[in-house]
Amino acid sequence: AGDVAADYEREFLHWLNAIPFNQPPFNQLYLGYGEEDRFVLASKILAQRLAPQRCLALDGGHDWPTWSRLWQAWLARENFPLAAA
């Protein structure tokens, strides 16, 4: 809800909502976010549209230390490099 044109986040979520979840980009996306990220609500909405194995949330905020830990966690997952190719 709200004025989509005045808010990039709402515009993005509106666009995402119009795309079937089993088609690109959803079937190609991986989502990682910090549980204390200021955009956590948007991330959780997006996570509902993605397969659970393509989502990862860790403690942390909207910052490089959190993103670095998320990236390391993705790389440590079995078959991630093959699935992401």
Side-chain angles (χ1 to χ4, degrees):
D3 184 7
V4 173
D7 184 333
Y8 291 117
E9 186 175 352
R10 287 182 193 275
E11 183 178 356
F12 178 66
L13 292 173
H14 180 74
W15 173 78
L16 286 175
N17 193 45
I19 300 170
F21 71 91
N22 60 345
Q23 295 180 14
F26 292 113
N27 63 351
Q28 300 167 349
L29 287 179
Y30 286 84
L31 174 65
Y33 60 93
E35 289 286 356
E36 291 81 38
D37 191 314
R38 67 181 179 266
F39 300 113
V40 70
L41 294 178
S43 295
K44 288 182 178 186
I45 291 170
L46 178 55
Q48 293 174 0
R49 302 287 308 270
L50 300 174
Q53 66 271 22
R54 291 183 172 261
C55 300
L56 179 60
L58 299 176
D59 289 335
H62 191 81
D63 54 39
W64 284 111
T66 303
W67 300 327
S68 179
R69 286 186 300 109
L70 283 162
W71 182 240
Q72 294 303 317
W74 278 121
L75 292 176
R77 285 192 172 192
E78 184 177 343
N79 296 325
F80 176 72
L82 296 175

